[in-house]
Every structure is written in C-alpha cells, then in structure tokens.
Amino acid sequence: MDLGSRLAGKHILITGASSGLGAHFATLCARHGARVTVGARRKEKLDDLVAELTYAGAASARAVSLDVTDEASVKACFDALDAPLDTLVNNAGIALSSMAIDTPLADFDAVMTTNVRGVFAMAQEAGRRWRDAEQPGNIVNVASILGQRVAGGVTPYAISKAAVKQATHALALEWARFGIRVNALAPGYIETEINAEFFATPPGEAMIKRIPMRRLGKPEDLDAAFLLLATDAAPWMTGTYLPVDGGHLCSGL
Ligand code: NAD
C-alpha cells in the first residue's frame, strides 16, 4: 500500500512546525502533494519553511501564527484555515529538564499548559468543527515513550506525555460517534533541537547504549508510522498509541 499517495490534496495542519519533527512532518506531507498549514509562534521561521514546502511539492503551503497555550490564538488559527481540514497533527511540545526536587512550579505549569492543555485545546477546536462535517478529519497526537516509562530529570514532561496518551484514548472514545479518529504517535529518542544538547553529555551517551537498536532515531524513522496514522489508510484505527523507538520500551531491566 502506498501510504504517501493518500496525502495528495489532503489538508494537514501541523502545530509547532518551526523546527524538528514538526518541520519534518510538514516536508513529508508536502512531498506527497498535501495542502500543508504550519502553525507556530516563530512565524518568521515558518515563512522560510513555507517556501521550502512549496518547492517540495505541496498542493499549497501556508503559515499561521499559533500559540497553543492561548485560547484566542487557537481559535484564530482554525478561523484562518483556507480549506476544510483533514488531519490535525498536535506536535507542539516543550521539555524543560531539571530534577523534580528543584523544578519550579512555573516550569511544571509551562510544560502542562503547552503539552496537555495545548493538545486538548487544539483537538477540541478541531472536534467542534468536525462534529457535523460530512467528512470529519482525524487527529495525530505526538506523544513520547516517556509517557509510558520514565527517565530522570524530565518528570513534568513524562507526566504530560502520559496525559497525551490518555487524552488520545479518551477523545477517541468520545468522538468515534462523529467519525473522528484520534491516535498517538509515540517516538523514542529522535535527535532534534529539543534534545541535541543532552545526547552530547555522558548520561545522554549512556542512554543511547540502552536503546536495543543502539542508535538514536532519525526523523525519517517515524515516516511510515506517521503516514499510517495521518492518512485514511487505517480507517478502523482509533485510540491507538503507536511507539516507534528502536525497541527502547522493551529494553531489559
Ligand atoms: P522542537 O523543540 O524542535 O519542536 C517543538 C516545537 O513546538 C517548536 O517548533 C516550538 O516552537 C513549538 N512550540 C512550543 N511551544 C509552543 C506553543 N505554545 N505554541 C506553538 N508551538 C509551540 O522539538 P521536537 O523534538 O521536534 O518535538 C516535537 C514533538 O515531538 C514534541 O511534542 C515532543 O515532545 C515530541 N517528541 C520528541 C522526541 C524527540 O526525541 N525529539 C521524542 C518523543 C516525542
């Protein structure tokens, strides 16, 4: 089955697309001829990305300013869409690292507000627009294997990603009646802006050794799973949490 061809002409909205995995997913969708709308706070970065997406083959590429922590910005983003949406990719996320005992509560709030409330707010706005639609869309939440197992120094992040996993199951249950599917992609450690510094440290290098496949993931290692969830290739698949992690979740104890 050619999953990529199912994206042609589909309208995909990707949050937090100014860097890392979001920019990668946007480029993947563009290469397959999707209409891609990218949202993030750093709009000047998105303008460059839009030019790249157009060059890559997007049916159309647009940037919208979006702060997922801001209710008005979330609504404005959906109002700014120029065509019915097929897929929302909830990719925006932050990971502030510190030991739990020293973590300022303001950092805890920031992680929760972005990673959990942001995902919920975006999904809710999409769900409201799709509820009575003839062709409702689907949602891909970018979770993390840290929502299922734990590592030191990222407790609020791990809590937030566990919440994203559970939000995926709960929303899938409530919205199956509307034909809205909600799934989660749970990457293992992929080298991007969010973690590059950490993997250059001795604990980071030690962690790579504990990945059964003995390497970090590359963004393209996620492509097949992303396409499965973001397209209509698996129309009976909802509430699924799909880890792609080089075997990290089944590393030996
Ligand atoms: P990244 O820092 O490059 O990307 C995160 C993006 O989210 C950035 O573009 C940032 O501007 C955006 N963002 C943050 N707060 C926002 C807000 N309030 N409104 C809108 N956009 C906002 O990191 P990444 O690794 O590409 O992460 C993307 C997603 O993948 C995150 O949800 C992250 O938790 C998840 N993830 C990453 C890895 C990994 O190893 N890189 C592993 C598992 C999960």
Side-chain angles (χ1 to χ4, degrees):
M1 188 186 283
D2 178 4
L3 294 177
S5 66
R6 290 170 177 268
L7 277 175
K10 300 286 187 188
H11 187 190
I12 319 287
L13 169 61
I14 302 174
T15 69
S18 60
S19 59
L21 297 183
H24 174 77
F25 293 142
T27 307
L28 176 68
C29 293
R31 283 211 316 269
H32 290 290
R35 300 174 73 95
V36 187
T37 300
V38 286
R41 294 160 305 170
R42 291 180 278 177
K43 191 161 183 304
E44 65 289 348
K45 268 207 169 186
L46 292 181
D47 290 337
D48 293 343
L49 178 64
V50 162
E52 286 166 29
L53 297 178
T54 307
Y55 182 72
S60 85
R62 290 178 71 231
V64 289
S65 288
L66 171 66
D67 181 346
V68 300
T69 68
D70 177 347
E71 192 176 351
S73 173
V74 167
K75 280 196 169 36
C77 165
F78 279 87
D79 287 341
L81 298 180
D82 63 345
L85 189 64
D86 294 291
T87 302
L88 163 65
V89 181
N90 268 323
N91 167 80
I94 58 172
L96 305 175
S97 38
S98 57
M99 299 312 285
I101 207 147
D102 299 320
T103 299
L105 288 179
D107 284 7
F108 182 91
D109 289 346
V111 171
M112 292 301 151
T113 308
T114 305
N115 297 6
V116 183
R117 189 176 179 271
V119 163
F120 184 79
M122 290 296 296
Q124 186 184 54
E125 200 56 41
R128 285 175 176 162
R129 288 156 198 259
W130 284 332
R131 176 171 35 192
D132 300 316
E134 227 167 80
Q135 285 196 309
N138 73 95
I139 297 173
V140 180
N141 292 326
V142 181
S144 164
I145 58 169
L146 281 168
Q148 191 173 338
R149 286 188 59 185
V150 290
V154 284
T155 295
Y157 180 79
I159 295 170
S160 77
K161 291 298 182 176
V164 170
K165 177 176 185 287
Q166 194 68 342
T168 301
H169 302 314
L171 294 175
L173 168 67
E174 281 199 19
W175 293 351
R177 76 199 66 177
F178 303 131
I180 302 169
R181 295 182 303 109
V182 188
N183 291 293
L185 176 64
Y189 289 102
I190 312 288
E191 197 166 4
T192 63
E193 204 175 297
I194 211 170
N195 59 27
E197 257 178 54
F198 171 69
F199 285 114
T201 65
E205 286 169 1
M207 183 172 280
I208 295 172
K209 290 198 184 117
R210 292 198 296 274
I211 300 173
M213 297 196 82
R214 295 282 187 276
R215 68 167 176 88
L216 292 174
K218 300 188 279 284
E220 52 270 33
D221 286 317
L222 303 174
D223 290 0
F226 175 85
L227 290 174
L228 180 69
L229 300 183
T231 67
D232 56 5
W236 207 47
M237 202 169 168
T238 194
T240 298
Y241 168 83
L242 183 55
V244 180
D245 66 350
H248 209 160
L249 279 178
C250 43
S251 57
L253 294 177

